[in-house]
Amino acid sequence: SNVKGIVLAFGSGNSISGNTLSSNGEWSILLGASSNNTIEGNNISNNASGGIYLDNQSAFGGTTYDQGSNNNTINQNMITDIDGGESLNLGENCNGNKVIGNTISGGAYGIHVWKSNNNYIANNQVTNFNTQPTSGYSAVAIRIRNGQNNIIKSNTITGNMKGFEIVANEAP
């Protein structure tokens, strides 16, 4: 298996679409400090720790977290069976992203927002998140950690250990 599938570092205006990514060790699609991109119509399955992962420049060895992946559109992807991590993650300072119409199923975390603001998450199907993550945590369909002004609406959330969780002021 590959460690990572598609990696985009410091990129803008790109389209990642129509790919099948399976059995990658970490992430299938990783954007680091990359904004104004589209991730659409991909089929992602059977990864060890991540599906689609947006992060800041620290993903590539940077020492600060201020340059996130902002204003991206993540639309109409199918993400299934991500064992130990987040199926779709918006990491620290990944703001203003649109997550719309995705089908996400099976694993520990469905959609995870960490220290990111002003994201729009709508019309997604998030189901069957029942794999126990690290000790002390519960599997959850949509989890917001230390984020503000995120809009979560019209999602279908069924068959999960927890459907929705908002956690404020939690350490990493």
Side-chain angles (χ1 to χ4, degrees):
S1 78
N2 298 315
V3 175
K4 295 175 183 74
I6 297 171
V7 177
L8 180 61
F10 304 97
S12 180
N14 297 287
S15 177
I16 300 170
S17 63
N19 299 288
T20 299
L21 300 116
S22 182
S23 302
N24 293 292
E26 291 183 25
W27 314 285
S28 280
I29 299 174
L30 169 64
L31 270 61
S34 296
S35 298
N36 303 305
N37 300 289
T38 300
I39 301 171
E40 183 173 50
N42 298 287
N43 188 343
I44 298 167
S45 63
N46 300 313
N47 286 2
S49 66
I52 296 174
Y53 200 94
L54 274 58
D55 208 351
N56 52 58
Q57 74 265 34
S58 70
F60 301 103
T63 57
T64 63
Y65 303 98
D66 57 343
Q67 186 179 350
S69 292
N70 303 309
N71 303 313
N72 295 290
T73 299
I74 302 169
N75 186 39
Q76 300 294 320
N77 297 284
M78 179 167 290
I79 306 170
T80 57
D81 300 318
I82 306 300
D83 288 336
E86 297 90 1
S87 293
L88 197 154
N89 185 75
L90 303 179
E92 187 171 354
N93 288 326
C94 293
N95 304 313
N97 295 291
K98 295 177 184 167
V99 178
I100 303 169
N102 298 283
T103 301
I104 306 169
S105 180
Y109 297 109
I111 299 172
H112 184 242
V113 179
W114 163 245
K115 290 188 177 181
S116 293
N117 308 313
N118 303 309
N119 295 293
Y120 181 77
I121 299 170
N123 301 316
N124 299 287
Q125 291 187 24
V126 189
T127 60
N128 301 318
F129 284 89
N130 296 300
T131 301
Q132 181 71 40
T134 57
S135 180
Y137 292 94
S138 297
V140 63
I142 299 177
R143 186 172 199 231
I144 309 295
R145 293 172 61 193
N146 300 359
Q148 298 180 16
N149 301 317
N150 293 292
I151 297 171
I152 315 296
K153 68 179 262 183
S154 301
N155 296 284
T156 301
I157 302 170
T158 58
N160 302 287
M161 186 179 289
K162 283 186 180 177
F164 193 81
E165 182 176 63
I166 298 175
V167 181
N169 300 317
E170 181 184 44

